[in-house]
Amino acid sequence: MTNASVLALAKSSSVTALKHGDSSLILNDSNGLLLQDEERPKSLVYVRDPKYVSITALPWKSNSLQVRVEYELQVEVLDEEGRAFYIGKHLHLKTAIDPAYFKISESSENGTHHVITPLRVGRTEVSSVLEGMRDKNGAMQKLSGGPRAKVELSIYNPIELKPDVVVVGCEEGGRRRGRDEVQLRVSE
């Protein structure tokens, strides 16, 4: 470690934050090979307070979703500079997803990843809060006033074009004169 006042390394290979700051961990080879410092694998560790929670629907990072299309809902915790925290199995986010609007196929134990499928058209909110951390015995240590987020999602039916192919004619030589207009009608 380059800044031992920030992190404490236990014999079990776990690292504990002692105070806010930055440090880098340099990994040693268990086979006893003596590598130069610049050849050893390193990891930079930032010890920060969580400030924000972010909720994103993947793959398009859009708040407009289509009915019957599967999405991944990703919940991240960020520091004041927008850097994402690694959320291990001990931190827990409580995420509220309305079952009237979504089928939830899968959810991670810590509340950061959900596989959802919108069921009906409408608008709904998804919210998440950093609830707490589990201690060594598995008991939840609750946070009061942890960072939270709320996002409004709009759910639409998919757009279908009929006919599937629209052919627009060209003048001789492949050039168009003027502008072609194609009228689209929306039907439910």
Side-chain angles (χ1 to χ4, degrees):
M1 277 187 298
T2 58
N3 189 351
S5 67
V6 174
L7 301 173
L9 182 61
K11 290 181 181 179
S12 65
S13 297
S14 64
V15 178
T16 303
L18 300 174
K19 66 177 190 174
H20 292 94
D22 304 338
S23 185
S24 64
L25 293 173
I26 303 170
L27 303 176
N28 288 321
D29 190 332
S30 63
N31 295 322
L33 295 175
L34 297 174
L35 299 173
Q36 299 296 325
D37 279 349
E38 58 272 358
E39 295 173 340
R40 292 188 208 166
K42 294 180 187 177
S43 177
L44 235 116
V45 178
Y46 299 96
V47 179
R48 305 277 193 266
D49 283 329
K51 292 288 182 187
Y52 309 102
V53 172
S54 165
I55 303 170
T56 308
L58 300 175
W60 299 292
K61 294 185 177 185
S62 173
N63 291 350
S64 297
L65 310 179
Q66 289 183 27
V67 174
R68 297 180 303 280
V69 174
E70 188 175 86
Y71 295 90
E72 292 182 43
L73 205 60
Q74 180 180 9
V75 183
E76 291 183 303
V77 178
L78 308 164
D79 69 7
E80 61 190 13
E81 295 172 14
R83 287 185 286 231
F85 281 83
Y86 167 75
I87 305 294
K89 61 183 179 181
H90 297 294
L91 283 182
H92 183 72
L93 287 117
K94 184 175 183 178
T95 304
I97 302 169
D98 189 346
Y101 282 91
F102 296 102
K103 173 186 162 203
I104 303 168
S105 307
E106 189 180 320
S107 287
S108 63
E109 190 176 327
N110 62 9
T112 59
H113 184 261
H114 308 274
V115 178
I116 58 170
T117 304
L119 299 173
R120 64 181 193 163
V121 173
R123 292 182 194 267
T124 185
E125 284 186 347
V126 172
S127 62
S128 188
V129 61
L130 180 57
E131 190 174 53
M133 185 173 116
R134 297 199 183 281
D135 62 19
K136 292 177 183 177
N137 301 324
M140 177 65 73
Q141 303 298 318
K142 297 259 185 184
L143 280 176
S144 60
R148 61 187 63 236
K150 196 180 284 188
V151 65
E152 183 177 76
L153 299 174
S154 300
I155 305 167
Y156 300 98
N157 281 318
I159 297 173
E160 295 179 19
L161 289 178
K162 292 183 183 178
D164 295 343
V165 177
V166 178
V167 179
V168 179
C170 294
E171 299 292 326
E172 278 185 46
R175 294 181 181 239
R176 289 187 355 207
R177 285 191 303 198
R179 142 181 120 167
D180 296 319
E181 292 185 17
V182 177
Q183 184 177 13
L184 299 176
R185 276 184 272 142
V186 177
S187 61
E188 294 278 333

